[in-house]
Amino acid sequence: MFHGKHFDDQLDRAASWAGLRLDPSERRALGNYGEWLAAEGIEAGGLGPLEGPRIVDRHLADSLVFAGVWGATPSRVLDVGSGVGLPGIPLAITHPRSTFTLVDRAGRRCQLARRAVRVLGLQNVSVEQEDIAFEARTWPAVLFRASLPPERALETAPPLLEPNGYGVVALSRTAAPGAVPPSPPGTKLDLVRTDPGVLDSPAWFLRMRKTDPRTKDGISL
């Protein structure tokens, strides 16, 4: 399941849409992470018991497309409610020059994510047990993948973002995205959809950019 042509094709469709080109070591690491999710991750409750057959599309490839939604590749990324490392770990594999901080409130999920990081030998990932309400740092990019309802994520993101930083909120894997919340003050909000065939169903995202008070519509004053 996690090696071979079908696996490669699924990853390559997502990677290509995101502007990524997977090298052999990244492909191997993604496969190893998929194997870990199918074994330890599911057994420990980090993923649902029926998720095994959907790991490549719904978890690995789904994570990679976040890189097609944020702006320029960020130097630092905060993954909110990362659980067992999604989407942060696949993105850390494909962006070795960026650092990723995975935050979750649950100690057990943090232990599992740290275990995955050790198994994969990732040097650009840290895992922190924290309630995001108490996060005081600001970031170039903040990711939300099923960790908070979209409205809550949009309320949570602005204080976490640097000026011109990006927040990426996963909305749905359905034909239509549903109602889109308004942009919070001081932000610009865009609706983004993956192209047909990238994943096994359309993926919708909200991309938030925190506007820089020193600029107007992205133009320096």
Side-chain angles (χ1 to χ4, degrees):
M1 181 189 299
F2 303 106
H3 301 281
K5 186 177 186 306
H6 183 61
F7 172 78
D8 289 343
D9 287 347
Q10 285 181 290
L11 289 188
D12 285 342
R13 288 194 296 269
S16 177
W17 186 84
L20 304 174
R21 190 182 183 95
L22 301 177
D23 66 32
S25 64
E26 293 168 349
R27 201 179 299 275
R28 184 167 53 253
L30 289 166
N32 291 341
Y33 182 48
E35 290 175 349
W36 181 87
L37 288 171
E40 292 188 44
I42 289 177
E43 182 178 349
L47 292 180
L50 303 180
E51 289 301 294
R54 308 200 310 171
I55 284 174
V56 180
D57 181 84
R58 290 289 173 135
H59 299 290
L60 300 180
D62 185 90
S63 293
L64 296 185
V65 297
F66 275 77
V69 182
W70 64 37
T73 300
S75 58
R76 297 180 299 116
V77 180
L78 179 67
D79 181 7
V80 178
S82 185
V84 292
L86 297 161
I89 286 179
L91 291 167
I93 290 170
T94 56
H95 295 79
R97 296 185 179 179
S98 302
T99 60
F100 289 77
T101 301
L102 281 49
V103 171
D104 203 283
R105 291 191 301 177
R108 176 60 175 158
R109 288 195 291 267
C110 288
Q111 290 174 1
L112 287 168
R114 292 187 186 107
R115 164 72 175 156
V117 169
R118 289 195 300 271
V119 167
L120 296 168
L122 296 175
Q123 301 299 312
N124 61 332
V125 181
S126 62
V127 180
E128 300 179 6
Q129 183 180 356
E130 180 185 30
D131 187 325
I132 197 61
F134 299 104
E135 173 60 46
R137 297 165 291 186
T138 56
W139 303 80
V142 180
L143 313 180
F144 300 84
R145 180 186 183 267
S147 54
L148 292 172
E151 294 81 1
R152 286 272 314 282
L154 294 179
E155 293 172 359
T156 301
L160 300 172
L161 291 172
E162 296 179 351
N164 290 320
Y166 282 90
V168 180
V169 180
L171 272 184
S172 70
R173 291 285 298 267
T174 57
V180 177
S183 301
T187 70
K188 181 178 184 296
L189 208 58
D190 295 307
L191 181 65
V192 179
R193 193 189 98 155
T194 55
D195 294 335
V198 171
L199 301 169
D200 68 5
S201 60
W204 295 90
F205 298 87
L206 288 173
R207 176 175 58 208
M208 170 188 287
R209 183 174 69 84
K210 186 171 183 179
T211 54
D212 189 332
R214 298 168 298 176
T215 67
K216 181 177 181 180
D217 296 330
I219 302 174
S220 296
L221 297 175

